[in-house]
Coordinates of all heavy atoms in Angstrom, one line a residue:
M28 N 115.1 67.7 104.6 CA 115.0 68.0 103.1 C 115.3 69.5 102.9 O 114.8 70.3 103.7 CB 113.7 67.6 102.6 CG 113.6 67.8 101.1 SD 112.1 67.0 100.5 CE 111.2 68.4 100.0
R29 N 116.1 69.8 101.9 CA 116.4 71.2 101.6 C 115.3 71.9 100.9 O 114.7 71.3 99.9 CB 117.7 71.2 100.8 CG 118.2 72.5 100.5 CD 119.6 72.4 99.8 NE 120.3 73.7 100.1 CZ 121.5 73.8 100.4 NH1 122.2 72.7 100.5 NH2 122.0 74.9 100.6
T30 N 115.0 73.1 101.3 CA 114.0 73.9 100.6 C 114.6 74.7 99.4 O 115.7 75.3 99.6 CB 113.3 74.9 101.5 OG1 112.8 74.2 102.6 CG2 112.2 75.7 100.9
T31 N 114.0 74.6 98.2 CA 114.6 75.2 97.1 C 113.8 76.5 96.7 O 112.6 76.6 97.0 CB 114.6 74.3 95.9 OG1 113.3 74.0 95.5 CG2 115.3 73.0 96.2
L32 N 114.4 77.3 95.9 CA 113.8 78.5 95.4 C 112.6 78.1 94.5 O 111.6 78.7 94.5 CB 114.8 79.4 94.6 CG 114.3 80.7 94.1 CD1 113.8 81.6 95.2 CD2 115.4 81.4 93.3
A33 N 112.8 77.0 93.7 CA 111.7 76.5 92.9 C 110.4 76.2 93.7 O 109.3 76.5 93.3 CB 112.1 75.3 92.1
Q34 N 110.6 75.6 94.9 CA 109.5 75.3 95.7 C 108.8 76.5 96.2 O 107.6 76.6 96.2 CB 110.0 74.4 96.9 CG 110.4 73.0 96.6 CD 111.0 72.3 97.8 OE1 111.9 72.9 98.5 NE2 110.7 71.1 98.0
L35 N 109.6 77.5 96.6 CA 109.0 78.8 97.0 C 108.2 79.5 95.9 O 107.1 80.0 96.1 CB 110.1 79.7 97.6 CG 110.8 79.3 98.8 CD1 112.0 80.2 99.1 CD2 109.9 79.1 100.0
E36 N 108.8 79.4 94.7 CA 108.1 80.0 93.5 C 106.8 79.3 93.2 O 105.8 79.9 92.9 CB 109.0 80.0 92.3 CG 110.2 81.0 92.4 CD 111.2 80.8 91.4 OE1 111.3 79.8 90.7 OE2 112.1 81.8 91.2
M37 N 106.8 78.0 93.4 CA 105.6 77.2 93.1 C 104.5 77.6 94.1 O 103.3 77.7 93.8 CB 105.9 75.7 93.2 CG 104.7 74.8 92.9 SD 105.1 73.1 93.2 CE 105.4 73.0 94.9
L38 N 104.9 77.7 95.4 CA 103.9 78.1 96.4 C 103.3 79.5 96.2 O 102.2 79.7 96.4 CB 104.5 77.9 97.8 CG 104.7 76.5 98.3 CD1 105.5 76.6 99.7 CD2 103.4 75.8 98.5
T39 N 104.2 80.4 95.8 CA 103.8 81.8 95.5 C 102.8 81.8 94.4 O 101.8 82.5 94.4 CB 105.0 82.7 95.2 OG1 105.9 82.6 96.4 CG2 104.6 84.1 95.1
A40 N 103.1 81.0 93.3 CA 102.2 80.9 92.2 C 100.8 80.4 92.6 O 99.8 80.8 92.2 CB 102.8 80.1 91.1
E41 N 100.9 79.3 93.5 CA 99.6 78.7 94.0 C 98.8 79.7 94.7 O 97.6 79.8 94.6 CB 100.0 77.5 94.8 CG 98.8 76.8 95.4 CD 99.1 75.6 96.2 OE1 100.3 75.1 96.2 OE2 98.2 75.1 97.0
L42 N 99.5 80.5 95.6 CA 98.8 81.6 96.4 C 98.1 82.6 95.4 O 96.9 82.9 95.6 CB 99.8 82.3 97.3 CG 99.2 83.4 98.2 CD1 98.1 82.9 99.1 CD2 100.3 84.0 98.9
N43 N 98.8 83.0 94.4 CA 98.3 84.0 93.5 C 97.0 83.4 92.7 O 96.0 84.1 92.5 CB 99.3 84.4 92.5 CG 100.2 85.5 93.0 OD1 99.8 86.4 93.7 ND2 101.5 85.4 92.8
K44 N 97.1 82.1 92.3 CA 96.0 81.5 91.6 C 94.8 81.3 92.6 O 93.7 81.5 92.1 CB 96.5 80.1 91.1 CG 97.4 80.2 89.9 CD 97.9 78.9 89.5 CE 99.0 79.0 88.4 NZ 99.6 77.7 88.1
L45 N 95.0 80.9 93.8 CA 93.9 80.7 94.7 C 93.2 82.0 95.0 O 91.9 82.0 95.1 CB 94.5 80.3 96.1 CG 94.7 78.8 96.3 CD1 95.4 78.6 97.7 CD2 93.4 78.0 96.3
L46 N 93.9 83.1 94.9 CA 93.2 84.4 95.2 C 92.9 85.2 93.9 O 92.5 86.4 94.0 CB 94.1 85.3 96.1 CG 94.3 84.7 97.5 CD1 95.4 85.5 98.2 CD2 93.0 84.8 98.3
N47 N 93.1 84.5 92.8 CA 92.8 85.2 91.5 C 93.6 86.5 91.3 O 93.1 87.5 90.9 CB 91.3 85.5 91.2 CG 90.6 84.2 91.1 OD1 91.0 83.2 90.5 ND2 89.4 84.1 91.8
R48 N 94.9 86.4 91.7 CA 95.8 87.6 91.6 C 96.7 87.4 90.3 O 96.8 86.3 89.8 CB 96.7 87.7 92.8 CG 96.0 87.7 94.2 CD 95.5 89.1 94.4 NE 94.9 89.2 95.7 CZ 95.5 89.8 96.8 NH1 96.7 90.3 96.7 NH2 94.8 89.9 97.9
P49 N 97.2 88.5 89.9 CA 98.2 88.5 88.7 C 99.3 87.5 89.1 O 99.8 87.5 90.2 CB 98.6 89.9 88.5 CG 97.6 90.8 89.2 CD 97.0 89.9 90.3
L50 N 99.8 86.8 88.1 CA 100.9 85.8 88.3 C 102.3 86.5 88.3 O 103.3 85.9 88.7 CB 100.8 84.7 87.3 CG 99.5 83.9 87.4 CD1 99.5 82.8 86.4 CD2 99.3 83.3 88.8
K51 N 102.4 87.6 87.7 CA 103.7 88.3 87.6 C 103.6 89.7 88.2 O 102.5 90.4 88.1 CB 104.1 88.5 86.1 CG 104.3 87.2 85.4 CD 104.7 87.5 84.0 CE 104.8 86.2 83.2 NZ 105.1 86.5 81.7
P52 N 104.7 90.2 88.9 CA 104.6 91.5 89.5 C 104.5 92.7 88.5 O 104.0 93.7 88.8 CB 105.9 91.6 90.3 CG 106.8 90.5 89.8 CD 105.9 89.5 89.2
Y53 N 105.1 92.5 87.3 CA 105.1 93.5 86.2 C 104.7 92.9 84.9 O 105.0 91.7 84.6 CB 106.4 94.2 86.1 CG 106.8 95.0 87.3 CD1 107.6 94.5 88.3 CD2 106.4 96.3 87.4 CE1 107.9 95.2 89.4 CE2 106.8 97.1 88.5 CZ 107.5 96.5 89.5 OH 107.9 97.3 90.6
E54 N 104.0 93.6 84.1 CA 103.6 93.3 82.7 C 104.1 94.4 81.8 O 104.1 95.5 82.2 CB 102.1 93.1 82.5 CG 101.5 91.8 83.1 CD 101.9 90.6 82.4 OE1 102.1 90.6 81.2 OE2 102.0 89.5 83.1
K55 N 104.6 94.0 80.6 CA 105.0 95.0 79.7 C 103.8 95.4 78.8 O 103.1 94.6 78.2 CB 106.1 94.4 78.7 CG 107.0 95.4 78.1 CD 108.2 94.8 77.5 CE 109.4 95.6 77.8 NZ 110.6 95.1 77.2
D56 N 103.5 96.7 78.8 CA 102.4 97.3 78.1 C 102.9 98.4 77.3 O 103.3 99.5 77.8 CB 101.3 97.8 79.1 CG 100.1 98.3 78.5 OD1 99.8 97.8 77.3 OD2 99.3 99.1 79.1
N57 N 102.9 98.2 75.9 CA 103.4 99.2 75.0 C 104.8 99.6 75.3 O 105.2 100.8 75.3 CB 102.5 100.5 75.0 CG 101.1 100.2 74.4 OD1 101.0 99.4 73.5 ND2 100.1 100.9 74.9
G58 N 105.6 98.6 75.6 CA 107.0 98.9 75.9 C 107.3 99.4 77.3 O 108.5 99.7 77.6
K59 N 106.3 99.6 78.1 CA 106.4 100.1 79.5 C 106.0 99.1 80.5 O 105.0 98.4 80.3 CB 105.6 101.4 79.6 CG 105.7 102.1 80.9 CD 104.8 103.3 81.0 CE 104.9 104.0 82.3 NZ 104.0 105.1 82.5
L60 N 106.8 98.9 81.6 CA 106.5 98.0 82.6 C 105.4 98.6 83.5 O 105.4 99.8 83.9 CB 107.7 97.7 83.5 CG 108.7 96.8 82.8 CD1 109.9 96.6 83.8 CD2 108.1 95.4 82.5
T61 N 104.3 97.8 83.7 CA 103.2 98.2 84.6 C 103.1 97.3 85.8 O 103.1 96.0 85.6 CB 101.9 98.1 83.7 OG1 102.0 98.9 82.6 CG2 100.7 98.7 84.6
A62 N 103.1 97.8 87.0 CA 102.9 97.0 88.2 C 101.5 96.4 88.2 O 100.5 97.0 87.8 CB 103.1 97.9 89.4
Q63 N 101.5 95.1 88.6 CA 100.3 94.3 88.6 C 99.8 94.3 90.1 O 100.3 93.4 90.9 CB 100.5 92.9 88.1 CG 101.0 92.9 86.7 CD 99.9 93.5 85.7 OE1 98.8 93.0 85.6 NE2 100.3 94.6 85.1
I64 N 98.9 95.2 90.4 CA 98.5 95.4 91.8 C 97.9 94.1 92.3 O 97.0 93.4 91.7 CB 97.5 96.5 91.9 CG1 98.2 97.8 91.5 CG2 96.9 96.6 93.4 CD1 97.2 99.0 91.4
G65 N 98.3 93.7 93.5 CA 97.7 92.4 94.2 C 98.6 91.2 94.0 O 98.5 90.3 94.8
N66 N 99.6 91.3 93.1 CA 100.5 90.2 92.9 C 101.4 89.9 94.2 O 101.9 90.8 94.7 CB 101.4 90.4 91.7 CG 102.6 89.4 91.7 OD1 103.6 89.7 92.2 ND2 102.3 88.3 91.1
F67 N 101.5 88.7 94.6 CA 102.4 88.3 95.6 C 103.7 87.8 94.9 O 103.6 87.0 93.9 CB 101.9 87.1 96.4 CG 100.8 87.5 97.4 CD1 99.4 87.3 97.1 CD2 101.1 88.2 98.5 CE1 98.4 87.6 97.9 CE2 100.1 88.6 99.4 CZ 98.7 88.3 99.1
H68 N 104.8 88.2 95.4 CA 106.1 87.8 94.8 C 107.2 87.7 95.8 O 107.1 88.4 96.9 CB 106.5 88.7 93.6 CG 106.6 90.1 94.0 ND1 105.5 91.0 94.1 CD2 107.7 90.9 94.4 CE1 105.9 92.2 94.5 NE2 107.2 92.1 94.7
L69 N 108.2 86.8 95.6 CA 109.3 86.6 96.5 C 110.2 87.8 96.4 O 110.4 88.5 95.4 CB 110.0 85.4 96.1 CG 109.2 84.1 96.1 CD1 110.1 82.9 95.6 CD2 108.8 83.7 97.5
Y70 N 111.0 88.0 97.5 CA 112.1 89.0 97.4 C 113.2 88.4 98.3 O 113.0 87.6 99.2 CB 111.7 90.4 97.9 CG 111.5 90.6 99.4 CD1 112.4 91.2 100.2 CD2 110.3 90.1 100.0 CE1 112.2 91.4 101.5 CE2 110.1 90.3 101.4 CZ 111.1 91.0 102.1 OH 110.9 91.1 103.5
K71 N 114.4 88.9 98.0 CA 115.6 88.4 98.7 C 116.4 89.6 99.1 O 116.6 90.5 98.3 CB 116.4 87.5 97.8 CG 117.7 86.9 98.4 CD 118.4 86.0 97.5 CE 119.7 85.6 98.2 NZ 120.5 84.7 97.3
A72 N 116.9 89.6 100.3 CA 117.8 90.6 100.8 C 118.7 90.0 101.9 O 118.2 89.2 102.7 CB 117.0 91.8 101.4
Y73 N 119.9 90.3 101.9 CA 120.9 89.9 102.9 C 120.9 88.4 103.1 O 121.1 87.9 104.2 CB 120.5 90.5 104.3 CG 120.3 92.0 104.2 CD1 119.0 92.6 104.3 CD2 121.3 92.9 103.9 CE1 118.8 93.9 104.2 CE2 121.1 94.3 103.8 CZ 119.8 94.8 103.9 OH 119.6 96.1 103.8
G74 N 120.7 87.7 102.0 CA 120.7 86.2 102.0 C 119.5 85.6 102.6 O 119.4 84.3 102.7
A75 N 118.4 86.3 102.8 CA 117.2 85.8 103.4 C 116.1 86.1 102.4 O 116.2 86.8 101.4 CB 116.8 86.5 104.7
F76 N 114.9 85.4 102.6 CA 113.8 85.5 101.6 C 112.5 85.9 102.3 O 112.3 85.6 103.5 CB 113.6 84.1 101.0 CG 114.7 83.7 100.1 CD1 115.8 83.1 100.7 CD2 114.7 83.9 98.8 CE1 116.9 82.7 99.9 CE2 115.7 83.5 98.0 CZ 116.8 82.9 98.5
G77 N 111.6 86.6 101.6 CA 110.4 87.1 102.1 C 109.3 87.1 101.0 O 109.6 86.8 99.9
L78 N 108.1 87.6 101.4 CA 107.0 87.7 100.4 C 106.5 89.2 100.5 O 106.2 89.7 101.5 CB 105.9 86.7 100.8 CG 104.8 86.6 99.8 CD1 105.2 85.9 98.6 CD2 103.6 85.9 100.4
H79 N 106.4 89.7 99.3 CA 105.8 91.1 99.1 C 104.5 91.0 98.3 O 104.3 90.0 97.5 CB 106.7 91.9 98.2 CG 107.9 92.5 99.0 ND1 108.9 93.2 98.4 CD2 108.1 92.6 100.3 CE1 109.8 93.6 99.3 NE2 109.3 93.3 100.5
E80 N 103.6 92.0 98.5 CA 102.4 92.1 97.7 C 102.5 93.5 97.0 O 102.8 94.5 97.6 CB 101.2 92.1 98.6 CG 99.9 92.3 97.9 CD 98.7 92.4 98.8 OE1 98.9 92.5 100.0 OE2 97.6 92.5 98.3
M81 N 102.3 93.5 95.7 CA 102.3 94.7 94.9 C 101.1 95.6 95.4 O 99.9 95.1 95.3 CB 102.2 94.4 93.4 CG 102.4 95.6 92.5 SD 104.1 96.2 92.7 CE 105.0 94.9 91.8
A82 N 101.4 96.8 95.8 CA 100.3 97.6 96.4 C 99.8 98.7 95.6 O 98.7 99.2 95.8 CB 100.9 98.2 97.8
N83 N 100.6 99.2 94.6 CA 100.1 100.4 93.8 C 100.7 100.4 92.4 O 101.7 99.6 92.2 CB 100.3 101.7 94.5 CG 101.7 102.0 94.8 OD1 102.6 101.8 93.9 ND2 102.0 102.6 96.0
E84 N 100.2 101.2 91.6 CA 100.7 101.3 90.2 C 102.1 101.7 90.1 O 102.8 101.4 89.1 CB 99.8 102.2 89.4 CG 98.4 101.7 89.2 CD 97.5 102.7 88.5 OE1 97.9 103.8 88.2 OE2 96.3 102.4 88.4
G85 N 102.6 102.4 91.1 CA 104.0 102.9 91.0 C 105.0 101.8 91.4 O 106.2 102.1 91.5
G86 N 104.6 100.6 91.8 CA 105.5 99.5 92.2 C 105.7 99.4 93.7 O 106.6 98.7 94.1
G87 N 104.9 100.2 94.4 CA 105.0 100.1 95.9 C 104.6 98.7 96.4 O 103.7 98.1 95.8
I88 N 105.1 98.3 97.5 CA 104.8 96.9 98.0 C 104.4 97.0 99.4 O 104.6 98.0 100.1 CB 106.0 96.0 97.8 CG1 107.3 96.6 98.5 CG2 106.3 95.7 96.4 CD1 107.5 96.2 99.9
R89 N 103.7 95.9 99.9 CA 103.5 95.6 101.3 C 104.3 94.4 101.6 O 104.3 93.4 100.9 CB 102.0 95.3 101.5 CG 101.1 96.4 101.6 CD 99.7 96.0 102.0 NE 98.8 97.0 101.5 CZ 98.0 96.8 100.4 NH1 98.1 95.8 99.7 NH2 97.2 97.8 100.0
Q90 N 104.9 94.4 102.8 CA 105.6 93.2 103.2 C 104.6 92.3 103.9 O 104.0 92.6 104.9 CB 106.7 93.6 104.2 CG 107.5 92.4 104.6 CD 108.7 92.9 105.5 OE1 109.4 93.8 105.2 NE2 108.9 92.2 106.6
T91 N 104.4 91.1 103.3 CA 103.5 90.2 103.8 C 104.1 89.2 104.7 O 103.6 88.9 105.8 CB 102.8 89.4 102.6 OG1 102.3 90.4 101.7 CG2 101.7 88.5 103.0
I92 N 105.3 88.7 104.3 CA 106.0 87.8 105.2 C 107.4 88.3 105.2 O 108.1 88.5 104.2 CB 106.0 86.3 104.7 CG1 104.6 85.8 104.6 CG2 106.9 85.4 105.6 CD1 104.5 84.4 104.0
S93 N 107.9 88.6 106.4 CA 109.3 89.2 106.6 C 110.4 88.2 106.3 O 110.2 87.0 106.2 CB 109.4 89.8 108.0 OG 109.3 88.8 109.0
L94 N 111.6 88.8 106.2 CA 112.7 88.0 105.8 C 113.0 86.8 106.8 O 112.9 87.0 108.0 CB 114.0 88.9 105.7 CG 114.0 89.9 104.6 CD1 115.1 90.9 104.8 CD2 114.1 89.2 103.2
G95 N 113.4 85.7 106.2 CA 113.8 84.5 107.0 C 114.5 83.5 106.1 O 114.8 83.8 104.9
T96 N 114.7 82.4 106.6 CA 115.4 81.3 105.8 C 114.3 80.8 104.7 O 113.1 81.1 104.9 CB 115.8 80.1 106.6 OG1 114.7 79.5 107.2 CG2 116.8 80.6 107.7
K97 N 114.8 80.1 103.8 CA 113.9 79.5 102.8 C 112.9 78.6 103.5 O 111.7 78.5 103.1 CB 114.7 78.7 101.7 CG 115.4 79.6 100.7 CD 116.0 78.7 99.7 CE 117.3 79.3 99.1 NZ 118.0 78.4 98.2
K98 N 113.4 77.8 104.4 CA 112.5 76.9 105.2 C 111.4 77.6 105.9 O 110.3 77.2 106.0 CB 113.4 76.0 106.1 CG 112.6 74.9 106.8 CD 112.0 73.9 105.9 CE 111.3 72.8 106.6 NZ 110.7 71.9 105.7
E99 N 111.8 78.7 106.6 CA 110.8 79.5 107.3 C 109.8 80.1 106.4 O 108.6 80.1 106.7 CB 111.5 80.6 108.1 CG 112.4 80.1 109.3 CD 113.3 81.2 109.8 OE1 113.6 82.2 109.1 OE2 113.6 81.1 111.0
L100 N 110.2 80.6 105.2 CA 109.3 81.1 104.3 C 108.4 80.0 103.7 O 107.2 80.2 103.5 CB 110.0 81.9 103.1 CG 109.1 82.5 102.1 CD1 108.1 83.5 102.7 CD2 110.0 83.2 101.0
Y101 N 108.9 78.9 103.4 CA 108.2 77.7 102.9 C 107.0 77.4 103.9 O 105.9 77.2 103.6 CB 109.1 76.5 102.8 CG 108.5 75.3 102.2 CD1 108.3 75.1 100.9 CD2 108.0 74.3 103.1 CE1 107.8 73.9 100.4 CE2 107.4 73.1 102.6 CZ 107.3 72.9 101.2 OH 106.7 71.8 100.7
T102 N 107.4 77.3 105.2 CA 106.4 77.0 106.2 C 105.3 78.1 106.3 O 104.1 77.8 106.4 CB 107.1 76.8 107.6 OG1 108.0 75.8 107.5 CG2 106.1 76.5 108.7
A103 N 105.7 79.4 106.3 CA 104.8 80.5 106.4 C 103.9 80.5 105.2 O 102.7 80.8 105.3 CB 105.6 81.8 106.5
L104 N 104.4 80.2 104.0 CA 103.6 80.2 102.8 C 102.5 79.1 102.8 O 101.4 79.3 102.5 CB 104.4 80.0 101.5 CG 105.1 81.3 101.0 CD1 106.2 80.9 99.9 CD2 104.0 82.2 100.3
H105 N 102.9 77.9 103.3 CA 102.0 76.8 103.5 C 100.9 77.2 104.4 O 99.7 76.9 104.2 CB 102.7 75.6 104.0 CG 103.1 74.6 103.0 ND1 102.1 73.8 102.3 CD2 104.3 74.2 102.5 CE1 102.7 73.0 101.4 NE2 104.0 73.3 101.5
K106 N 101.2 77.8 105.5 CA 100.2 78.2 106.5 C 99.3 79.3 105.9 O 98.0 79.3 106.1 CB 100.8 78.7 107.8 CG 101.6 77.6 108.5 CD 101.6 77.8 110.0 CE 102.3 76.6 110.6 NZ 101.6 75.4 110.7
L107 N 99.8 80.2 105.1 CA 99.0 81.3 104.5 C 98.0 80.6 103.5 O 96.9 81.0 103.4 CB 99.9 82.3 103.8 CG 99.3 83.5 103.1 CD1 98.4 84.2 104.1 CD2 100.3 84.4 102.5
I108 N 98.5 79.7 102.7 CA 97.7 79.0 101.7 C 96.6 78.2 102.5 O 95.4 78.2 102.0 CB 98.5 78.1 100.8 CG1 99.3 79.0 99.9 CG2 97.7 77.1 100.0 CD1 100.4 78.2 99.1
Q109 N 96.9 77.5 103.5 CA 95.9 76.8 104.3 C 94.9 77.7 104.8 O 93.7 77.4 104.8 CB 96.6 76.1 105.5 CG 97.3 74.8 105.1 CD 98.0 74.2 106.3 OE1 98.4 74.8 107.2 NE2 98.2 72.9 106.2
G110 N 95.3 78.9 105.3 CA 94.3 79.9 105.8 C 93.3 80.4 104.7 O 92.1 80.5 104.9
V111 N 93.9 80.6 103.5 CA 93.1 81.0 102.4 C 92.1 79.9 102.0 O 90.9 80.1 101.8 CB 93.9 81.3 101.1 CG1 93.1 81.5 99.9 CG2 94.7 82.6 101.4
E112 N 92.6 78.6 102.0 CA 91.7 77.5 101.7 C 90.6 77.4 102.7 O 89.4 77.1 102.4 CB 92.5 76.2 101.6 CG 93.4 76.2 100.3 CD 94.3 75.0 100.3 OE1 94.6 74.4 101.3 OE2 94.8 74.7 99.2
L113 N 90.9 77.6 104.0 CA 89.9 77.5 105.0 C 88.9 78.6 104.9 O 87.7 78.4 105.1 CB 90.5 77.5 106.4 CG 91.2 76.3 106.9 CD1 92.0 76.5 108.2 CD2 90.2 75.2 107.1
A114 N 89.3 79.8 104.6 CA 88.4 80.9 104.5 C 87.5 80.9 103.3 O 86.4 81.4 103.3 CB 89.3 82.2 104.4
T115 N 87.9 80.2 102.3 CA 87.2 80.1 101.0 C 86.4 78.8 100.8 O 85.8 78.6 99.8 CB 88.0 80.4 99.8 OG1 89.1 79.4 99.7 CG2 88.6 81.8 99.8
A116 N 86.5 77.9 101.8 CA 85.8 76.6 101.7 C 84.3 76.7 102.0 O 83.8 77.6 102.6 CB 86.5 75.6 102.7

């Protein structure tokens, strides 16, 4: 089965909800974009996909899951979500 971008976005949203994190990396506040610290979001580079976490108000990030195929990221996100569920059970 082919892994889609929509599936990756759904898992990322689920991770943010499980951890009570902001659902979007940026919010518009008085016409200015403000970084939402703690938000997990997808990124794409060189045809591969990964996961970043918003780290500071300036838009700095932490690389949580490094670049790979969509299928690799899908698997890693599932394992990360399972770990969160185990830790919070």
